[in-house]
Amino acid sequence: MAGVGCLLSAVVLALLPLPRGADQAQAAAAGDSSVTKSGSKGTYDDFSDLKVTVHRTKGLRGQATRVTWSGGTPRGTSEGRNFLALMQCWGDDASGPDRTQCEFGLSSGVDAGNSRRVLLPDAPGQGSDPLETETATPVDQNRTHYVPFRPVPGQGDPTTSSTDATYFTGGDTNAIPFLPNDGNGGGDVAFEVKSSLEQPALGCGARRTPTGEVQPCWLVVVPRGAHDPDGSNGNSGNLVASSLSQSNWDQRIAFRLDFEPVGDNCDPDKPERRIIGSELGTDAITSWQSELCTSGTHRFTYTQAGEEEARQAVTAPSDSSPGLAITVDPVHAPEGAAPVVHAPVSVSGLTIGFVWMYEKSSGAVKLPVKELRLNQRLLAKVLTQSYAGSLVLNREQIPDYLAGNPRSIGQDPEFQRLNPGLEALKQNSMSPIGLVVSSENSDTARMVWDYVLANSDAGKFIQGEIDPWGMKVNAAYKGSVISESLDYFPKADLTPTPLDCGNGTSLSRNGLDMVPYANDMHQAAVKVRRGDMGTAFQCIVESNVPKLTGAGRPAVTDQRQFGIVDTPSAVRYQLITAALPNADGEYVKPTDDSLLKAVAQMPDSDVAGVKAPDPAKAKDGAYPLTAVVYAAASVDQAKDARQDYARAIRYAAGPGQSQGTANGQLPYGYAPLPAALRQQAENAADRLERGAPADPSGTDSTAPDDGPNGSGGPGGGDADGAATAGDAGGDTSGAAGGAADPDASDGPSVSPTDPAKQNVAQSGGLTPSEVLGLIRWVLLGVLIAGGAAALAGPVMLRLSVRRATPPGGGTG
């Protein structure tokens, strides 16, 4: 029986699929710090069956954390009842914060429970609260009782009214005053938490206890039922009392949040070593800074800038300029200049992140879009402002030059063909009006255009060919505007739309007002997470001065935004990512596995050993918008500077490749470097430490003669011999990372300097799905062996008995 049980278990285990998303970096990012708490019975509503889970409560920074719940009372489609209110608070008591310490009350719109205003018991039927007293809350200039917001000590005075926007506004608050359930009493939302960098008034991650520990913050959930504190059902079915009103506040569920220390905690008196460059390196280097500081004489500072600016800083080094550049495309040192080493430090990528709510039918419960496919031509359409909704409102006439085009991407037949089941997005208001993109000039923008323009359908559309459904490119982009890959995303259509402001005043609005730029991809991710890109579409007059303004941040159920973001920011803010087609036509999402597959296929750039993103040729499960991020440095620097930068490179390629949420680790969204690239970085660090070649001809007499320019590997120079290629090599044994088996004689020889031929499994780090897969197959083997052993005993016993029995039976 034991043997049969083991074998049956093995069959089930072999057929059991891995958990959803187990192959994604996001899966590991959830961590094991989830906390579940239950509600309690109230005076009028019972929340005893409510269970709320905050899926990540430790190692936090400015990001999003997932909140799920179940067991609530199912709500109707339009009732402002049976919902949750979520808010972030500070507070030092072990039991949680008081209500004056919570960011809440100024969200845009008129959501139920959204106010800091409270009513005393003498206002029955209007959401009054029998537990409120004259002395518990101050009164503002309108004789209204309110709950003031008190910032952390040192950040200012308490607010002076229920509408005081000194510390947060409707546009930047993270509070969710009205979070309806999914119709079944549960739900799932990503809640934005803020460190002191994003919200100094909460001080999360910056405040310390007397013993030096980081003070906690809190995520507070206030469940709301069908009654206001006085027992009434609200006005027209909607609750009107604030979720901060005492009776409602008493039902709160508080979750402790532990933040990573803000800043690199490095001695500010230490001299600095400056690093400059790509946004794709920002999250990783920011994480590594504190660890680099602990063991060195200098502190490392990072300036995010366009890669071209970073490359220029390295090719013309000075005592005050950054000595290390973070880039995607290689650095070409000027003719006659000292060599530049290139060390791979991270694998990252770009993605289309989105938050997209819709309703399948009028009045139905609003649901999130969870799966999305976008191809190159759809990207071309949205990047060229070819959907009318990116220029004019639904109530406004479509410009003649876009006549016949869909107003939104959701109405595009091509989009509908790729995304069956989303027919509801054909409604005018069910799609984002435009794609949020960064205003920076960058190598990554060029990578996107390389991907788009390499596709024949997309390229022809941009040049003026009408698509099969009759859609045409915006005339402002037709021709030479995008005849080649650009390092930015142009806004070529600035056609004004006149607006009447009243009182005889007027303004105009254009496509840049409708779909404004984000400063960078991190800000784009925040805008997408909040569902508000900052669209300004209407004119108002304040103090006799007309100005453009928007509708403000929408409620969670009405958020519809998408944007081009880096994969670490997508993971950080819990954005769902679109699947994009690779060269095989396979739609792929960015995961550790798909990023590393793309790296393994990348060709060299024009600097040997420096891999060039090649999105048009990624195949076999590779994600097309993948990039290897390099640290580049000139060898013509002072010895101590070269040693410090070499140490930074070694940390990045070593301990810095351990994925995690703590300072010093590789943030999720990056894939761990393959072993060959780690070795390449180590070699580059060695080469940087050696400095400029002693031989004027360019040969480093201190290095072994194992590559051009003494680079430590093959292909060390660029076309003019001025720059080394990351110093890949030094180990000719054929094993990745120098772990060769000298007795191995069969199979192909794989050079450790060529990640294009390196197996993805040699990445030096395992993805969550690989870990789960290994565990599954090990357990499977144990079960099969155990089952076989358990069955073997009775079988062998029976056989031995048979052999011992003489013919005819009996005992002889």
Side-chain angles (χ1 to χ4, degrees), residues 614-701:
D614 197 358
K617 296 182 180 179
K619 59 183 181 179
D620 297 329
Y623 181 69
L625 296 182
T626 301
V628 178
V629 181
Y630 289 89
S634 171
V635 299
D636 185 19
Q637 300 186 65
K639 181 178 179 180
D640 59 342
R642 288 187 281 106
Q643 289 175 332
D644 284 340
Y645 288 127
R647 183 169 62 86
I649 290 171
R650 290 191 182 99
Y651 183 88
Q657 292 302 307
S658 173
Q659 287 180 306
T661 60
N663 286 335
Q665 293 185 303
L666 184 70
Y668 293 108
Y670 292 101
L673 280 176
L677 293 187
R678 293 190 189 197
Q679 184 61 52
Q680 185 176 343
E682 290 281 353
N683 293 342
D686 293 344
R687 177 67 184 85
L688 179 59
E689 274 194 325
R690 291 198 298 267
D695 186 342
S697 66
T699 301
D700 184 354
S701 61

Side-chain angles (χ1 to χ4, degrees), residues 106-108 165 168-173 532 552-553:
L106 292 179
S107 300
S108 301
F168 50 89
T169 69
D172 61 25
T173 183
D532 180 16
R553 185 173 172 180

Side-chain angles (χ1 to χ4, degrees), residues 47-137:
F47 304 109
S48 301
D49 293 331
L50 177 67
K51 294 187 182 299
V52 181
T53 299
V54 178
H55 289 258
R56 183 169 163 193
T57 61
K58 297 182 182 297
L60 297 168
R61 51 183 175 157
Q63 62 178 87
T65 185
R66 186 181 178 205
V67 179
T68 58
W69 71 101
S70 62
T73 301
R75 61 179 287 271
T77 58
S78 60
E79 292 180 340
R81 312 182 194 179
N82 299 311
F83 60 91
L84 303 181
L86 276 62
M87 63 198 79
Q88 186 179 342
C89 315
W90 67 278
D92 301 337
D93 293 340
S95 59
D98 67 51
R99 56 182 178 164
T100 68
Q101 297 170 314
C102 298
E103 180 173 319
F104 186 84
L106 292 179
S107 300
S108 301
V110 290
D111 294 332
N114 174 30
S115 177
R116 299 191 75 91
R117 175 175 175 261
V118 297
L119 294 177
L120 303 185
D122 57 1
Q126 302 176 34
S128 61
D129 191 337
L131 298 185
E132 291 291 355
T133 64
E134 286 276 355
T135 57
T137 52

